Amino acid sequence: MSDLEARLAALENRVGELEDINAIRRLQWAYGYYIDYNRPEEVAGLFAEDGAVVFLSGEYRGHAGIMRLYGTWFQNLFTGGRRGPVKGLLLDHFQLQDVITVAPDRQTAKARFRGILAGGWHDDVLHEKPEGPPQQFWEAGIYENDYVRENGVWKIKRLDYLMQWQGDYETGWAHTVAHLQPAVVCYPENPLGPDVILPGDNYRPTWPHRQEVPMSFAHPVLAEAFRVEAFSGLMGK
């Protein structure tokens, strides 16, 4: 291969990688919109055939598990089983601060997103609010997701959401206990439960507990060489 051909091939690969990053970002943003408007079928359609969602220490597997989470549990909890936007219900998921890493073969990728949720029930529909959640609340979490190119289309392979905090809008997060707790019983014993409970060392207690979410991407300056020792050296310790 000539130098020109090599440069063109490298450029073509780089452009392809940028297109992949944009497609994955669009995929994740679409997920946020479909969640907002309670469209579980569209949510499930974003996932690979063997896709999975990790939520509250449980893993929901395949389209059946994903529909159980978004189409049964969430829909029943927030909208009384109704599809689409519901009068008086606010449930907006913002997908932010993405760092996307595409594998060299461009068939798989990893990405970290920050999610922020504003939720609540208007006074007009307060009688429909379930027990537990405050009438107005905030929530934030970190996604560390895996993606796969399936039949030429990027899809979510594993959506791993680790809640960071929840806050009652009226009193603030300093005075709030999380209204959602980690799963402890699997499906089918729990009709709304996950297919698998995560191992004990991956138990995820919620706010005010905090825990590190390992980053899928290399340090943008120090790359893979970044270690605690390197950081200590930079700080003169």
Side-chain angles (χ1 to χ4, degrees):
M1 180 182 294
S2 68
D3 180 60
L4 179 59
E5 289 173 329
R7 290 168 60 190
L8 285 174
L11 180 60
E12 183 181 46
N13 186 72
R14 178 56 179 154
V15 170
E17 182 183 21
L18 292 173
E19 290 178 340
D20 294 336
I21 290 172
N22 189 58
I24 291 167
R25 182 179 293 124
R26 181 184 178 93
L27 177 68
Q28 187 67 32
W29 287 354
Y31 166 84
Y33 281 112
Y34 291 141
I35 292 289
D36 292 346
Y37 291 103
N38 187 33
R39 302 177 74 92
E41 292 84 4
E42 283 90 335
V43 172
L46 299 173
F47 285 79
E49 289 298 324
D50 59 348
V53 178
V54 179
F55 182 67
L56 293 177
S57 296
E59 184 170 312
Y60 296 77
R61 294 179 170 175
H63 284 190
I66 293 167
M67 283 297 297
R68 187 186 324 123
L69 175 62
Y70 296 116
T72 304
W73 181 18
F74 282 14
Q75 195 170 74
N76 288 341
L77 176 66
F78 291 109
T79 70
R82 290 168 290 173
R83 175 185 167 83
V86 175
K87 176 185 176 181
L89 173 64
L90 174 68
L91 203 64
D92 286 355
H93 293 74
F94 306 99
Q95 311 287 292
L96 310 168
Q97 206 175 359
D98 50 280
V99 180
I100 301 169
T101 306
V102 179
D105 65 2
R106 296 182 47 216
Q107 297 304 304
T108 61
K110 291 182 176 292
R112 186 182 183 95
F113 284 80
R114 185 181 302 277
I116 297 178
L117 165 64
W121 291 263
H122 190 273
D123 283 342
D124 286 350
V125 297
L126 192 56
H127 62 283
E128 297 181 1
K129 188 184 84 67
E131 292 292 332
Q135 183 177 354
Q136 302 178 95
F137 63 91
W138 293 103
E139 179 181 311
I142 297 292
Y143 296 92
E144 270 289 350
N145 298 342
D146 293 287
Y147 303 84
V148 63
R149 192 193 299 273
E150 189 174 80
N151 299 321
V153 178
W154 282 106
K155 297 183 180 181
I156 303 170
K157 173 75 171 179
R158 190 171 189 265
L159 186 139
D160 191 347
Y161 177 73
L162 200 151
M163 185 190 302
Q164 294 294 287
W165 56 268
Q166 289 179 325
D168 185 324
Y169 183 87
E170 303 290 344
T171 60
W173 46 79
H175 309 289
T176 300
V177 175
H179 58 267
L180 292 175
Q181 297 299 324
V184 294
V185 179
C186 288
Y187 177 85
E189 182 179 353
N190 175 3
L192 302 179
D195 294 282
V196 176
I197 300 295
L198 299 181
D201 59 356
N202 203 0
Y203 179 73
R204 299 178 175 186
T206 52
W207 180 251
H209 179 81
R210 295 297 302 277
Q211 63 190 89
E212 183 180 0
V213 184
M215 299 180 188
S216 56
F217 56 92
H219 190 285
V221 177
L222 302 177
E224 298 294 352
F226 180 69
R227 296 290 185 271
V228 174
E229 293 80 7
F231 183 76
S232 298
L234 288 173
M235 297 299 291
K237 296 180 180 179

